[in-house]
């Protein structure tokens, strides 16, 4: 565009400046922590929500990082601090129980958990999420394997069937945390990223990578080493980063902070105008119309 029209119509220049300044990307993509661990089994509490130790303390710190105030969770209409626990039931056990692990971790952090135990409940949850008939959570938590009250084969199959819905939830700005090993735990992940491999090897002494420290500064190496790791990740990680390695450099925990997506090429939704941008844009259009009409009458 030449500069002459802008000199003759200064309101047009103002309009273009405001249009550019108010054009924003919609909030999308959320924080992700995926571990080849069974830290649900290697943890305990003095009572539910009190004295979380080892693996349960790791979960407490991890969900606190995921749900921290600010821009981590940007999913539209989510209930702050609300967690959907998939593949476990509520429990008052004080050790070795996946449902109790997330319940105690959430209670200590001041969050609320909705439990969806069993394949039918998992399928109903995702159907309800699409139809806005279930509480809109801030994050999903997947129970994993290795403890009691965790994923069975039917639940694993239900998660795999709903893999696109899990990816869409994260892309919408929701958080995600998962544990475990085998197809029950991560069949849904390899359905989203076919080039990713979950390996049957992992060692102890997890070490956070610089990306892991940057994404989740509340976690420490001792947190993620509270119990043995059982699986590691390799191959095409898509948009996920390596957050922690085991003692041999195998990728023990993958994911990322806010704005993480599964597919590296995922550009997210088409940019839109913010609410104030729409108001200002409408006002400028109206002002420009008035100025033009007045000049035509002169």
């Amino acid at each position: 565009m030449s500069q002459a029209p802008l000199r003759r119509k200064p309101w047009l220049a103002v309009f273009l400046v405001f249009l550019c300044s108010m054009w924003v990307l919609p909030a999308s993509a959320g924080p992700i922590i995926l571990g080849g661990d069974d830290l649900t089994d290697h943890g305990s509490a003095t009572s539910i929500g009190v004295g979380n130790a080892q693996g349960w303390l790791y979960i407490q710190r991890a969900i606190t990082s995921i749900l921290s105030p600010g821009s981590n969770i940007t999913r539209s209409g989510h209930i702050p601090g609300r967690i959907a626990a998939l593949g476990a039931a509520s429990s008052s056990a004080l050790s070795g129980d996946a449902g109790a692990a997330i319940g105690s971790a959430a209670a200590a952090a001041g969050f609320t958990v909705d439990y969806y135990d069993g394949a039918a409940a998992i399928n109903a949850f995702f159907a309800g999420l699409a139809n806005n008939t279930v509480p809109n959570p801030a994050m999903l938590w997947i129970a994993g394997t290795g403890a009691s009250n965790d994923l069975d084969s039917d639940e694993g199959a239900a998660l795999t069937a709903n893999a696109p819905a899990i990816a869409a939830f994260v892309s919408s700005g929701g958080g995600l945390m998962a544990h475990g090993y085998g197809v029950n735990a991560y069949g849904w992940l390899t359905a989203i990223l076919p080039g990713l491999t979950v390996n049957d090897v992992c060692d102890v002494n997890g070490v956070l990578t610089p990306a892991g420290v940057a994404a989740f500064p509340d976690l420490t190496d001792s947190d993620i080493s509270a119990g043995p790791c059982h699986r590691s990740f390799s191959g095409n990680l898509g948009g996920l980063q390596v957050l922690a390695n085991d003692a041999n450099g195998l990728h023990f925990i993958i994911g990322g902070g806010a704005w993480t997506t599964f597919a590296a090429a995922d550009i997210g939704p088409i940019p839109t105008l913010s609410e104030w941008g729409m108001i200002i844009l409408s006002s400028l259009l109206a002002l420009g119309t008035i100025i033009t009409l007045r000049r035509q009458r002169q």
Side-chain angles (χ1 to χ4, degrees), residues 20-42:
C20 293
S21 66
M22 300 308 294
W23 196 269
V24 297
L25 284 171
S28 61
I32 302 172
I33 299 178
L34 310 176
D37 66 87
D38 59 352
L39 291 172
T40 51
D41 190 41
H42 299 275

Side-chain angles (χ1 to χ4, degrees), residues 19-248:
L19 178 61
C20 293
S21 66
M22 300 308 294
W23 196 269
V24 297
L25 284 171
S28 61
I32 302 172
I33 299 178
L34 310 176
D37 66 87
D38 59 352
L39 291 172
T40 51
D41 190 41
H42 299 275
S44 62
T46 305
S47 60
I48 295 298
V50 178
N52 288 321
Q54 296 185 300
W56 291 18
L57 181 59
Y58 158 70
I59 297 171
Q60 177 186 329
R61 289 178 172 166
I63 63 175
T64 298
S65 289
I66 290 174
L67 298 176
S68 63
S71 60
N72 266 11
I73 303 299
T74 56
R75 177 175 168 80
S76 178
H78 77 273
I79 304 171
R82 199 75 173 239
I83 301 169
L86 308 179
S90 177
S91 172
S92 59
L94 298 180
S95 65
D97 183 288
I102 185 60
S104 188
F111 303 139
T112 301
V113 181
D114 299 306
Y115 293 89
Y116 300 92
D117 186 36
I122 290 173
N123 288 324
F125 164 73
F126 283 109
L129 195 63
N131 297 324
N132 296 316
T133 56
V134 295
N136 187 357
M139 69 169 286
L140 306 179
W141 179 85
I142 299 176
T145 51
S148 61
N149 188 19
D150 59 8
L151 295 172
D152 59 28
S153 58
D154 290 340
E155 291 170 326
L159 290 170
T160 300
N162 287 287
I166 296 173
F169 180 87
V170 171
S171 292
S172 74
L176 172 65
M177 184 178 186
H179 313 266
Y181 41 90
V183 67
N184 291 346
Y186 285 118
W188 62 268
L189 178 60
T190 53
I192 296 171
L193 295 173
L196 181 146
T197 300
V198 183
N199 306 292
D200 295 340
V201 59
C202 195
D203 204 343
V204 295
N205 300 323
V207 178
L208 288 162
T209 65
V213 173
F216 302 104
D218 292 334
L219 296 181
T220 67
D221 290 348
S222 61
D223 290 331
I224 63 174
S225 301
C229 66
H230 293 275
R231 296 294 187 274
S232 56
F233 304 92
S234 64
N236 180 10
L237 302 184
L240 306 180
Q241 298 176 293
V242 178
L243 303 182
N245 291 317
D246 75 351
N248 295 316

